[in-house]
Amino acid sequence: MDLESKIVVITGAGSGIGAATATLFGEHGAQVVVSDLNMKSAQRVVEGIKKTNGSALAVQANVTQFKEVEALVAKTVNEFGRVDVMVNNAGIGGKNQKKTAEHSHDDWHDVIAVNQTGVFYCMQVALQQMMKQGHGNIVNVASLAGLKPSGYNLSYSASKYAVVGMTKSAALEYGRKNIRINAVCPGYTNSVLLDRLLSSRPDMGDTLKRLIPMDRFGEPHEIAGAIAWLASDDSKYITGQTITLDGGTSLQ
Ligand SMILES: NC(=O)c1ccc[n+]([C@@H]2O[C@H](COP(=O)([O-])OP(=O)(O)OC[C@H]3O[C@@H](n4cnc5c(N)ncnc54)[C@H](O)[C@@H]3O)[C@@H](O)[C@H]2O)c1
């Protein structure tokens, strides 16, 4: 997998899947822009990459704010000259697990703002830059919840179905412009996001594991591997697709 010298921006890269993806790109010789709302965690990831002689830069950006997304891409271009790969990974879950009739409006607005509007803003600004440079590659982090219904999860489900839809629609628009756009759809993956979900219902860990034929949650580095592959030329005839990484959960 040749990622050497690629300029890669990753949102939500201070933790979980984003941090594992940043680390993997760093190991493969990419120049990694580690972006997160939380600058301290982004800096920790950058230090880790630098310890293994990788190249990385931490940039704070809230993906719900269009101007901050514009500044993130502008800073990357100022520093490195272009954006080869944009990984739109920042995402949150709802705070409450309630059925639709009781779904919290705060959860709705918060989750849609980060997971859906954030991905739209990041795709839009990255595409403007990629059109100028004549090439680009976008990988969006959707979810199994964007492919299959999941109860007690309306805003998250809506946002992730939207990410899959935006991935396919934009891929259709930019195929002729040398820009590929794909998505990964992880199932339950060990991270802060999953820990939060499980802490709200202590019995839930075992219940969820029973749904997974491989009998375990995914690990962030396993999702990172697919993101890096989609970002590399090894997948160069693939666009508008989703890769599901769920230990077989979607089979039933
Ligand atoms: N963990 C899972 O089970 C799972 C499953 C499917 C999909 N996903 C998706 O994977 C992605 C990464 O999640 P994770 O599990 O690694 O979670 P995580 O909580 O470990 O990491 C998410 C990161 O996003 C950052 N973030 C949150 N809001 C932001 C904002 N407005 N702007 C910029 N950064 C922001 C957080 O600070 C955090 O560092 C998310 O899109 C999530 O929906 C996770």
Side-chain angles (χ1 to χ4, degrees), residues 9 11 69 72-73 83-88 122 126 130 137-139:
V9 180
T11 66
V69 175
L72 165 64
V73 170
V83 177
D84 296 320
V85 180
M86 181 92 189
V87 180
N88 297 319
C122 289
M130 289 170 178
N137 190 317
I138 296 175
V139 183

Side-chain angles (χ1 to χ4, degrees), residues 11-19 35-38 41 61-65 88-93 113-115 119 141-145 156 159-160 184-197 220 223:
T11 66
S15 167
I17 294 168
S35 182
D36 205 286
L37 186 59
N38 181 334
S41 61
N62 180 346
V63 297
T64 69
Q65 303 303 309
N88 297 319
N89 163 77
I92 59 171
V114 180
N115 297 9
V119 170
V141 180
S143 170
L144 184 55
Y156 192 79
S159 70
K160 294 300 185 177
V184 292
C185 292
Y188 303 107
T189 306
N190 278 315
S191 74
V192 174
L193 190 147
L194 184 62
D195 290 347
R196 276 198 198 118
L197 180 71
I223 314 303

Side-chain angles (χ1 to χ4, degrees), residues 6-237:
K6 282 200 191 289
I7 315 300
V8 184
V9 180
I10 305 171
T11 66
S15 167
I17 294 168
T21 305
T23 304
L24 184 64
F25 273 103
E27 284 166 5
H28 281 270
Q31 319 245 36
V32 194
V33 176
V34 178
S35 182
D36 205 286
L37 186 59
N38 181 334
M39 190 59 169
K40 268 198 190 140
S41 61
Q43 267 157 347
R44 256 196 312 272
V45 173
V46 165
E47 279 159 27
I49 293 172
K50 285 188 172 162
K51 265 191 202 138
T52 57
N53 293 326
S55 164
L57 173 74
V59 179
Q60 185 169 29
N62 180 346
V63 297
T64 69
Q65 303 303 309
F66 187 70
K67 286 204 173 323
E68 293 191 28
V69 175
E70 281 187 313
L72 165 64
V73 170
K75 187 154 190 180
T76 304
V77 174
N78 274 347
E79 202 77 27
F80 301 111
R82 58 184 198 277
V83 177
D84 296 320
V85 180
M86 181 92 189
V87 180
N88 297 319
N89 163 77
I92 59 171
K95 291 197 180 81
N96 306 285
Q97 273 71 54
K98 295 266 167 69
K99 284 190 187 174
T100 302
E102 289 83 38
H103 196 78
S104 140
H105 287 202
D106 284 349
D107 271 358
W108 175 268
H109 292 298
D110 291 349
V111 170
I112 296 296
V114 180
N115 297 9
Q116 181 171 338
T117 309
V119 170
F120 162 56
Y121 287 169
C122 289
M123 285 210 302
Q124 183 168 63
V125 177
L127 283 165
Q128 288 166 2
Q129 172 58 30
M130 289 170 178
M131 289 288 287
K132 278 189 219 153
Q133 52 189 54
H135 74 275
N137 190 317
I138 296 175
V139 183
N140 293 325
V141 180
S143 170
L144 184 55
L147 299 173
K148 285 191 73 168
S150 50
Y152 301 88
N153 211 10
L154 194 79
S155 49
Y156 192 79
S157 168
S159 70
K160 294 300 185 177
Y161 269 87
V163 173
V164 172
M166 290 191 289
T167 301
K168 289 177 182 287
S169 297
L172 187 67
E173 293 172 347
Y174 291 93
R176 287 190 175 80
K177 300 289 180 190
N178 199 22
I179 300 170
R180 297 194 292 122
I181 307 163
N182 291 289
V184 292
C185 292
Y188 303 107
T189 306
N190 278 315
S191 74
V192 174
L193 190 147
L194 184 62
D195 290 347
R196 276 198 198 118
L197 180 71
L198 298 182
S199 68
S200 68
R201 294 255 313 269
D203 58 316
M204 211 168 170
D206 289 340
T207 311
L208 293 182
K209 273 196 193 135
R210 279 197 287 278
L211 301 174
I212 308 172
M214 287 179 72
D215 208 25
R216 66 171 177 86
F217 296 134
E219 294 300 330
H221 71 266
E222 294 172 318
I223 314 303
I227 295 173
W229 181 72
L230 285 170
S232 78
D233 288 348
D234 290 359
S235 61
K236 68 180 174 199
Y237 199 46

